[in-house]
Amino acid sequence: MQKKEKLIFWELNEINFDYVNFYIDKGKLPNWKKLIESHGLFTTFSQESYDELQPWIQWPTIRTGLTFEEHGVFRIGDMVGSGIKQHWELLEESGFSVAAISPINASNNTKKSPFWIPDPWTDTEVSGNGFVKRFSVALKQVVNDNSEEKLSASSIAVIIEALITKSQISSWGTYIRCIMGASKKQHWSKAIFLDRLIADVFISLWKTNQPDFCSLWVNGGAHIQHHYLCNSDSYKGKITNPEWYCPSGKDPLLEILEMYDAFLKELLILKKTRLIVAVAIKQVPYESPIFYWRLKNHEDFLKKLGIKFKRVQPRMSIDFLVEFDNKQDLNLAEKTLLNIKSENGELIFSEVTKSDDGLFVSLTYPGEINDAFDIYSNKVRFKNFKNDVIFVAIKNGHHDGLGYYLDTALKPGDLENRMPLKNIFSFIMDHFS
């Protein structure tokens, strides 16, 4: 049995609606204004500690209806093989068609999904035709190699294919502006371009397949808040980013919110469709900027340190997962990584989380790294760490447990604010009950 209304769930990662409302008050973002005035803006709240306020922990809460304490998924990729039921397979088992694009830390356990594209950091099945599978591979390569600004020939070919076959004419103004911005080293333009392309692919695949339930997760706005929030007109703090990093007069956050506003309009005009937009956790400004660095070649670096490992999997930005053949190698690697320090005694990898067969590691050194920056491991000196890393960005924003919920089936005042984040799972499932 099919519902009369389809349900689209837009998972909007980490956007702070204080900033959305700021721009609305300035006469911008008309479609966000329309949605909020007609249907309300409600808040959710996650009670977890700061270490647990991560998107790869909180989005699984929405998809399972379980808190972190209940689902226990702590690392990105851990949903795979967990055996925990998510809304997609539960709905599919009830006879509904489901689909997804890029849901962070999700496992594809569907049997008949017309399209199901994993996030770029999670190894799970891809469902769909040849284009869907090619696009999934390209998305993974583009995102994971973003710091090095590398695009493979195959990824370029798939992007061109998507632009020709999936994009809307109305999106081409955004694409051209982003291409021009990227040519001027405006790195945020690439995030806007990619989210616009993902949105176009989503619209095209949705119109072709018309699944009963479909989710879309986008991260460009979260990336821009993390790294360019202090350049926003909505930011009233004292931090300023260097001119070489983001020129004065540029507002990357407004640029991507305006693109999201255009995409929102496209979703709102779809007939017989309910739209839910949620933010699991939001971002707030840092009190002082933090530099982000990423290893150029994770395997080569670990080998240089003498660490024996089975496999390395790069994750989001500064993070990577190391797997081992035995506990002895795992324990030695943990000890080695936690003892790597700068000349001033500052830890390079202060966050190393151990599991039964691996280490989840974050390169957490927050300062500048120049050509004279050496690191030390048990009194052994490794010269010029700058050669081993790539500058990612200057961190402007960090996580906060408040989230947001918007729903075209509601009116302002229909829900209480600061409701538990896991309630969103019930709203989705109740739509089909």
Side-chain angles (χ1 to χ4, degrees):
M1 181 183 70
Q2 285 192 331
K3 285 287 292 188
K4 183 178 179 181
E5 272 193 324
K6 309 291 185 180
L7 176 56
I8 291 176
F9 182 27
W10 183 7
E11 300 177 325
L12 190 55
N13 197 38
E14 298 180 19
I15 294 297
N16 188 328
F17 270 77
D18 290 345
Y19 308 136
V20 174
N21 285 325
F22 170 87
Y23 291 116
I24 288 174
D25 290 342
K26 296 292 183 180
K28 304 179 186 297
L29 311 181
N31 296 296
W32 286 113
K33 179 181 181 181
K34 177 182 177 182
L35 179 62
I36 292 170
E37 289 182 347
S38 299
H39 302 286
L41 173 63
F42 308 99
T43 56
T44 61
F45 192 70
S46 173
Q47 298 287 350
E48 273 76 53
S49 66
Y50 183 77
D51 288 343
E52 295 154 6
L53 292 178
Q54 298 290 352
W56 52 85
I57 294 175
Q58 300 306 321
W59 284 109
T61 287
I62 291 177
R63 303 182 192 125
T64 63
L66 304 173
T67 65
F68 168 67
E69 185 176 304
E70 293 166 330
H71 64 62
V73 175
F74 186 70
R75 302 181 306 183
I76 192 167
D78 279 0
M79 274 301 296
V80 178
S82 69
I84 301 171
K85 292 277 190 176
Q86 306 158 111
H87 46 35
W88 298 288
E89 56 261 35
L90 289 169
L91 290 172
E92 189 180 67
E93 289 169 3
S94 297
F96 299 98
S97 58
V98 298
I101 291 184
S102 196
I104 189 170
N105 202 8
S107 180
N108 182 11
N109 302 312
T110 64
K111 306 299 182 185
K112 298 180 292 184
S113 178
F115 60 96
W116 209 106
I117 299 175
D119 74 61
W121 313 280
T122 301
D123 293 326
T124 190
E125 295 295 323
V126 180
S127 298
N129 60 22
F131 168 78
V132 169
K133 293 175 180 177
R134 291 192 296 275
F135 189 73
S136 179
V137 172
L139 184 62
K140 186 171 186 176
Q141 189 272 315
V142 170
V143 172
N144 282 307
D145 291 336
N146 176 58
S147 299
E148 299 179 65
E149 300 185 347
K150 293 193 303 186
L151 276 178
S152 68
S154 59
S155 294
I156 292 172
V158 173
I159 289 171
I160 293 172
E161 179 185 4
L163 288 171
I164 293 173
T165 64
K166 309 298 180 188
S167 69
Q168 304 170 93
I169 294 175
S170 58
S171 300
W172 273 87
T174 298
Y175 291 133
I176 292 170
R177 286 191 296 273
C178 288
I179 292 170
M180 293 177 62
S183 70
K184 299 175 184 177
K185 302 298 182 181
Q186 295 178 181
H187 296 287
W188 63 88
S189 295
K190 293 183 291 183
I192 299 172
F193 182 99
L194 185 60
D195 269 12
R196 179 64 265 186
L197 185 63
I198 291 171
D200 275 344
V201 169
F202 177 87
I203 289 283
S204 176
L205 292 176
W206 189 90
K207 287 182 176 179
T208 299
N209 297 281
Q210 297 277 311
D212 296 311
F213 172 67
C214 189
S215 67
L216 169 67
W217 185 83
V218 294
N219 193 52
H223 172 84
I224 285 174
Q225 282 182 154
H226 267 308
H227 306 314
Y228 302 101
L229 177 57
C230 298
N231 287 90
S232 169
D233 285 344
S234 63
Y235 171 70
K236 303 304 178 185
K238 298 179 180 179
I239 299 172
T240 56
N241 286 321
E243 188 72 13
W244 59 264
Y245 182 67
C246 183
S248 55
K250 294 291 183 179
D251 190 343
L253 179 56
L254 175 59
E255 290 182 32
I256 198 162
L257 289 179
E258 288 181 325
M259 188 276 284
Y260 286 162
D261 190 72
F263 178 52
L264 176 62
K265 181 179 180 180
E266 296 158 13
L267 295 176
L268 290 174
I269 63 175
L270 295 175
K271 295 180 179 179
K272 297 181 180 179
T273 303
R274 174 183 176 185
L275 173 65
I276 292 176
V277 183
V279 177
I281 51 176
K282 70 174 184 177
Q283 286 186 36
V284 294
Y286 253 108
E287 295 180 2
S288 58
I290 292 176
F291 285 75
Y292 265 8
W293 303 93
R294 181 179 176 90
L295 291 175
K296 281 183 183 177
N297 188 306
H298 298 75
E299 292 187 356
D300 287 350
F301 181 74
L302 294 180
K303 288 175 182 177
K304 183 164 71 173
L305 295 177
I307 291 176
K308 297 179 181 179
F309 58 92
K310 179 180 179 181
R311 185 169 67 145
V312 185
Q313 299 179 63
R315 297 305 196 197
M316 291 184 75
S317 190
I318 63 174
D319 306 318
F320 57 98
L321 176 65
V322 192
E323 297 177 1
F324 301 88
D325 288 315
N326 55 67
K327 288 289 181 64
Q328 182 179 4
D329 290 345
L330 186 156
N331 292 333
L332 286 173
E334 179 188 28
K335 184 177 180 181
T336 298
L337 290 168
L338 286 173
N339 277 285
I340 298 176
K341 300 177 181 178
S342 69
E343 188 173 16
N344 296 324
E346 298 163 293
L347 290 174
I348 305 299
F349 304 97
S350 64
E351 296 179 11
V352 179
T353 305
K354 183 164 64 173
S355 64
D356 290 339
D357 60 353
L359 297 174
F360 189 81
V361 187
S362 299
L363 200 170
T364 52
Y365 180 76
E368 291 194 60
I369 296 176
N370 54 36
D371 292 333
F373 192 98
D374 300 334
I375 59 174
Y376 298 81
S377 175
N378 296 323
K379 298 183 179 180
V380 177
R381 180 183 182 186
F382 296 89
K383 292 184 178 180
N384 199 353
F385 185 50
K386 180 75 175 291
N387 289 337
D388 296 311
V389 297
I390 304 164
F391 171 71
V392 177
I394 300 175
K395 189 173 183 179
N396 288 182
H398 66 107
H399 298 149
D400 182 273
L402 192 76
Y404 302 96
Y405 182 79
L406 302 98
D407 188 335
T408 57
L410 300 176
K411 298 292 184 183
D414 280 354
L415 295 175
E416 293 184 2
N417 277 316
R418 294 178 69 87
M419 60 185 172
L421 182 65
K422 69 177 186 177
N423 286 11
I424 297 175
F425 172 81
S426 298
F427 300 152
I428 292 170
M429 300 304 293
D430 288 348
H431 177 83
F432 296 96
S433 63

